[in-house]
Amino acid sequence: MPDYQSFVATPFTPNIGATLHGLDLSQPLSDLAQTELKDALARFEVIFFRDQVLTPAQQVAFTRSFGQVNEVKAFFPRVESQPEIEVVESTAERPAANNNWHSDITWQANPPIGTSLYAQVIPASGGDTVWASMTTAYEALPADFKAYLETLSAMHTWEVTGWTEYLLRQDATGEQLQAARAKYPPVTHPVVRVHPVTGKKILYVNPTFTTHIHGLPRTQSDALLAQLFGLITAPEVQARFCWQPHSLAVWDNRSTQHYAVADFYPQHRKLHRVTFTADPAF
């Protein structure tokens, strides 16, 4: 365990996650604290904080400790006073939990390196989020299989999700959809990537945005992707976080995938999301 000077890190599971104690995230952080936070995020892949009372501006300021906070990259509604923040919300009238495994916005050539998610409205029960370590998933594979995967690349696109239908509901003329297609065409990523901080290899495909592996017939591609997607479901690679008021999670979007458990309908769940970037992400 690293001996951090600015906070105490308690491992959440043996393979992924840590809860950090001893910081007030509403206050400006020292250079040392920010350096140690970046190290903890890379090391543990997702870090959790409890009892942090934050304004939208304070969440954005804290998130800048990890990277650049620029234009929102996805299609969620934004906080009007703080447009860097996306509102991830589910209600009885509009259930919209992201109950699918994914890494955020891998359909961009330079996807976000991480995300902070802050609790606003939490169900009385349910509504957990689960993260999976794609470092741990990769490391468990046989050596010859790893070597084969490192020769492959795969296509990622947002158009296989519900965003196509969402944009058509927003604008029946299709102009918003066409603009999104022009701005965000499909991209190709290696199936195995190397984390720029830890140097560890990462399995970089996800069920929500990865459509096929280049150079393989569709049936073989589908079978291989199904095998790789199945690795996410092993409890040994997972950390399941129970949200409480004033909880905040920050995850490394390069080395993890996550799943929002949709077991709380018709209760209300609302969180504020801020993504952060680096150029390049890898």
Side-chain angles (χ1 to χ4, degrees), residues 89-127:
E89 186 171 22
S90 297
T91 65
E93 295 75 25
R94 298 186 66 182
N98 294 316
N99 56 329
N100 45 57
W101 284 106
H102 64 286
S103 299
D104 287 333
I105 321 178
T106 62
W107 40 264
Q108 287 207 340
N110 196 57
I113 64 170
T115 303
S116 78
L117 194 64
Y118 182 57
Q120 297 290 311
V121 180
I122 300 303
S125 62

Side-chain angles (χ1 to χ4, degrees), residues 25 46-49 52 54 59 62-63 66 76 85-89 98 102 104 114-120 122 127-131 241 243-244 246-251 258-260 269-276:
L25 306 185
V46 56
I47 52 179
F48 304 116
F49 303 86
Q52 299 288 338
L54 302 175
Q59 182 188 356
F62 164 70
T63 306
F66 299 95
F76 290 105
I85 296 178
E86 297 169 298
V87 180
V88 182
E89 186 171 22
N98 294 316
H102 64 286
D104 287 333
T115 303
S116 78
L117 194 64
Y118 182 57
Q120 297 290 311
I122 300 303
D128 297 351
T129 302
V130 187
W131 283 266
F241 186 63
W243 291 97
Q244 298 172 0
H246 309 305
S247 294
L248 185 142
V250 183
W251 65 90
H258 56 283
Y259 183 106
R269 181 178 183 269
K270 179 180 179 181
L271 303 106
H272 281 179
R273 184 178 91 158
V274 181
T275 59
F276 50 95

Side-chain angles (χ1 to χ4, degrees), residues 10 26 56 70 115 179 209:
T10 304
S26 69
N70 300 316
T115 303
F209 301 125

Side-chain angles (χ1 to χ4, degrees), residues 4-20:
Y4 295 118
Q5 298 181 44
S6 306
F7 50 81
V8 175
T10 304
F12 198 78
T13 79
N15 291 322
I16 177 175
T19 304
L20 271 53

Side-chain angles (χ1 to χ4, degrees), residues 7 13 29 108 126 134 146 152 173 177 181 198 254 259:
F7 50 81
T13 79
L29 299 175
Q108 287 207 340
M134 305 317 297
K146 291 179 185 176
L152 303 176
T173 68
L177 176 59
R181 282 173 170 164
T198 66
R254 296 168 290 200
Y259 183 106

Side-chain angles (χ1 to χ4, degrees), residues 3-76:
D3 185 17
Y4 295 118
Q5 298 181 44
S6 306
F7 50 81
V8 175
T10 304
F12 198 78
T13 79
N15 291 322
I16 177 175
T19 304
L20 271 53
H21 313 271
L23 286 174
D24 180 356
L25 306 185
S26 69
Q27 301 301 312
L29 299 175
S30 68
D31 290 345
L32 175 61
Q34 293 182 61
T35 297
E36 292 186 333
L37 281 168
K38 290 179 182 178
D39 180 85
L41 181 60
R43 181 185 304 270
F44 295 107
E45 302 183 335
V46 56
I47 52 179
F48 304 116
F49 303 86
R50 299 289 194 188
D51 303 318
Q52 299 288 338
V53 180
L54 302 175
T55 66
Q58 287 168 339
Q59 182 188 356
V60 172
F62 164 70
T63 306
R64 286 199 172 99
S65 301
F66 299 95
Q68 304 165 18
V69 176
N70 300 316
E71 174 193 2
V72 172
K73 301 297 192 299
F75 305 113
F76 290 105

Side-chain angles (χ1 to χ4, degrees), residues 148-254:
Y148 171 63
L149 293 176
E150 289 174 22
T151 68
L152 303 176
S153 61
M155 179 169 287
H156 296 239
T157 176
W158 57 271
E159 288 204 60
V160 290
T161 67
W163 288 116
T164 300
E165 292 76 13
Y166 171 81
L167 291 173
L168 287 173
R169 288 196 301 270
Q170 296 293 108
D171 175 15
T173 68
E175 290 184 5
Q176 284 192 27
L177 176 59
Q178 293 304 319
R181 282 173 170 164
K183 188 174 184 180
Y184 303 120
V187 299
T188 294
H189 293 296
V191 169
V192 177
R193 307 209 71 157
V194 177
H195 195 287
V197 178
T198 66
K200 294 182 178 181
K201 292 181 178 178
I202 302 157
L203 186 61
Y204 200 71
V205 293
N206 69 86
T208 301
F209 301 125
T210 308
T211 58
H212 64 275
I213 294 176
H214 293 296
L216 293 183
R218 175 63 69 171
T219 54
Q220 293 182 23
S221 172
D222 290 348
L224 179 54
L225 285 175
Q227 180 181 2
L228 298 179
F229 296 158
L231 301 173
I232 308 166
T233 63
E236 289 81 0
V237 307
Q238 295 179 357
R240 180 166 178 153
F241 186 63
C242 179
W243 291 97
Q244 298 172 0
H246 309 305
S247 294
L248 185 142
V250 183
W251 65 90
D252 189 315
N253 195 57
R254 296 168 290 200

